[in-house]
Amino acid sequence: MKILVLATDYSRPDGIVSLHYIHTRNRWYLQKGIDVSVVSFNAKSDYTLEGVKVYTLKTYEKQLKNVSFDLLISHAPNLRNHYRFLKKYGENFNNVVFFFHGHEVLRCSEIYPKPYSFVKKSPIVSVVSRELYDLFKLRIWRSYFSKMAYKSHFVFVSHWMFNMFIKFVKVDRNLINPKKSIIYNSVGENFEKVTYDTTKEKKYDFITIRNMLDGSKYSIDIVTRVAKNNPEYTFCVVGKGKFYEYNKKPDNLIWIDKNLTHKEVIEMLNESRCALIPTRADAQGVMACEMATFGIPVITSRIDVCEEIFSEFENVGFIDNQKEEIDIEPIYKKLNKPNQNKNEKYFSKNTIEEEVKLFYKLRGSQKA
């Protein structure tokens, strides 16, 4: 099987990581014998990364547009790149699979929370422009997806993501239902193979790890509030940002101003009794899934998508984001159960492997 993958950006051999969840999938496809080619719209030159061939749009137009691919895969499609490509070259493909990961089919002003007060505000013109763009984007996709549904398949990373797609894109549910799949993102390989070490001495009671602290969806203000309300416990926050330059840090909260590798994440989780990962908006929340799969007790937010994602995890508890005073102790004690079996819901065999099965099924259903 030969597939072509469309990506707005892509990880590079020089160590720059971008939209790495696409590369994780592509490596798995290679292992399953699928010939994978990628068009990265941001690429300046062609390259190969861990066996995956990555091309510029120019290379596709000059060398690949006449190559026969079994499937075209579009991850997080946008209008500027994916839509233009599809309008120009879509007829070259008998089967198109769209993967929806988040903002690409959402009305962002309704889903994402207001930014923190210290974050530089966008001019009113930019806010209005973003809102108008979202309305335009959704109208274009509604028309295109409706017309192309006959040769398309739509993959959503959660049931919540699918429901938001229906709400905002407003495509006929009866048209999409037979053409859709819910396939969750997989966790990193390390989180499949390694299990939380309950015997290691703990430095922290609760740990929060985020790449960026200053996005309000990541809820560092809630972590800080919980720490302030529970002074008998030690909290650790790891991540880059300026949040604590503008907000008072409780004495029982330690802030480590850095980003971590997967190996370092596992080391710090093993030094902690529980992960505290609240959120205001997520299509799935892969980092929290990785922690829960690893086996550490996890406390996250009681919002629809989190309740869906963690419905089968005995080591996950919930807090209410709006509650001013959150007593963390009874939630943690309920989760602190030793020798739990590793939950395999987000292992590659139950996620990316399902994508591979879908691809072969779609290829087999093509008319000769």
Side-chain angles (χ1 to χ4, degrees):
M1 181 189 292
K2 287 175 66 72
I3 66 172
L4 182 68
V5 178
L6 302 183
T8 302
D9 203 358
Y10 202 80
S11 296
R12 305 192 323 226
D14 60 7
I16 298 297
V17 175
S18 182
L19 304 183
H20 201 67
Y21 58 84
I22 304 177
H23 183 60
T24 299
R25 287 171 161 85
N26 289 341
R27 287 178 59 202
W28 186 268
Y29 301 159
L30 286 178
Q31 292 175 24
K32 297 299 177 180
I34 296 176
D35 185 341
V36 182
S37 298
V38 177
V39 170
S40 171
F41 294 109
N42 280 352
K44 306 302 181 188
S45 60
D46 304 336
Y47 59 89
T48 299
L49 179 64
E50 297 180 303
V52 179
K53 299 165 291 185
V54 183
Y55 301 102
T56 64
L57 178 59
K58 284 186 178 180
T59 298
Y60 175 82
E61 292 172 334
K62 291 181 178 179
Q63 301 178 21
L64 299 177
K65 68 179 181 181
N66 295 321
V67 173
S68 178
F69 292 94
D70 294 296
L71 297 173
L72 175 67
I73 314 296
S74 174
H75 278 281
N78 62 22
L79 297 185
R80 180 182 179 184
N81 305 126
H82 299 244
Y83 178 71
R84 287 182 178 178
F85 182 96
L86 290 161
K87 290 294 286 182
K88 193 170 184 179
Y89 301 111
E91 291 184 358
N92 295 350
F93 303 92
N94 294 323
N95 239 319
V96 182
V97 182
F98 294 99
F99 278 80
F100 299 103
H101 300 273
H103 65 87
E104 62 271 15
V105 288
L106 299 177
R107 189 171 177 179
C108 296
S109 62
E110 286 195 28
I111 295 299
Y112 296 112
K114 291 180 181 179
Y116 291 131
S117 59
F118 67 85
V119 175
K120 184 179 179 181
K121 298 294 190 295
S122 298
I124 186 64
V125 174
S126 297
V127 174
V128 172
S129 297
R130 177 74 226 192
E131 179 70 6
L132 291 174
Y133 174 77
D134 274 358
L135 294 173
F136 173 72
K137 166 191 76 179
L138 295 170
R139 187 169 70 248
I140 293 294
W141 283 133
R142 182 183 313 132
S143 173
Y144 185 79
F145 292 147
S146 298
K147 290 177 181 177
M148 300 304 295
Y150 75 96
K151 69 170 186 177
S152 300
H153 197 88
F154 305 88
V155 178
F156 302 89
V157 297
S158 63
H159 289 278
W160 179 88
M161 188 71 247
F162 170 63
N163 290 332
M164 293 303 101
F165 174 87
I166 295 298
K167 176 180 179 180
F168 292 115
V169 182
K170 300 185 189 303
V171 176
D172 183 353
R173 185 184 288 265
N174 294 325
L175 180 67
I176 296 297
N177 263 331
K179 312 284 292 184
K180 77 146 192 326
S181 297
I182 309 296
I183 305 178
Y184 298 107
N185 287 302
S186 69
V187 296
E189 187 176 2
N190 288 343
F191 296 98
E192 288 191 21
K193 293 183 175 180
V194 184
T195 299
Y196 176 59
D197 186 354
T198 58
T199 65
K200 186 171 183 178
E201 184 177 352
K202 308 305 177 188
K203 291 183 181 179
Y204 316 108
D205 294 309
F206 297 93
I207 187 164
T208 302
I209 301 173
R210 293 294 195 185
N211 289 331
M212 167 56 69
L213 303 187
D214 297 343
S216 57
K217 64 172 283 189
Y218 300 120
S219 308
I220 297 303
D221 59 311
I222 296 176
V223 173
T224 305
R225 188 199 317 156
V226 173
K228 184 179 179 181
N229 292 338
N230 296 268
E232 68 276 21
Y233 290 111
T234 302
F235 293 77
C236 179
V237 172
V238 186
K240 304 290 289 184
K242 298 182 178 181
F243 182 87
Y244 290 116
E245 294 179 18
Y246 295 89
N247 296 273
K248 181 175 173 53
K249 183 175 67 62
D251 292 338
N252 62 327
L253 190 149
I254 299 163
W255 172 37
I256 300 175
D257 183 16
K258 65 176 291 188
N259 290 330
L260 305 178
T261 64
H262 267 187
K263 181 181 178 181
E264 290 172 324
V265 168
I266 287 173
E267 289 173 355
M268 292 211 68
L269 291 177
N270 278 328
E271 294 175 346
S272 310
R273 291 185 173 85
C274 183
L276 178 59
I277 311 291
T279 179
R280 289 186 169 95
D282 265 311
Q284 178 180 345
V286 175
M287 180 175 286
C289 290
E290 289 178 332
M291 293 177 178
T293 301
F294 179 57
I296 189 173
V298 174
I299 297 176
T300 187
S301 299
R302 191 178 297 281
I303 60 176
D304 289 346
V305 67
C306 291
E307 291 191 307
E308 172 195 339
I309 294 302
F310 297 114
S311 62
E312 300 167 27
F313 282 78
E314 295 181 0
N315 61 322
V316 177
F318 302 96
I319 58 173
D320 295 320
N321 286 345
Q322 305 305 321
K323 194 172 181 180
E324 280 300 317
E325 294 191 9
I326 298 172
D327 183 1
I328 208 76
E329 183 173 356
I331 304 172
Y332 167 67
K333 284 188 174 180
K334 188 177 179 181
L335 299 175
N336 192 20
K337 302 174 183 177
N339 302 321
Q340 294 179 359
N341 293 325
K342 203 172 182 70
N343 192 309
E344 299 183 357
K345 181 175 182 178
Y346 301 119
F347 277 29
S348 296
K349 66 181 182 181
N350 295 320
T351 53
I352 304 178
E353 179 66 26
E354 291 302 309
E355 296 173 15
V356 172
K357 291 177 184 177
L358 172 65
F359 296 164
Y360 279 104
K361 179 180 177 181
L362 292 174
R363 187 186 69 167
S365 67
Q366 292 178 11
K367 295 180 180 178

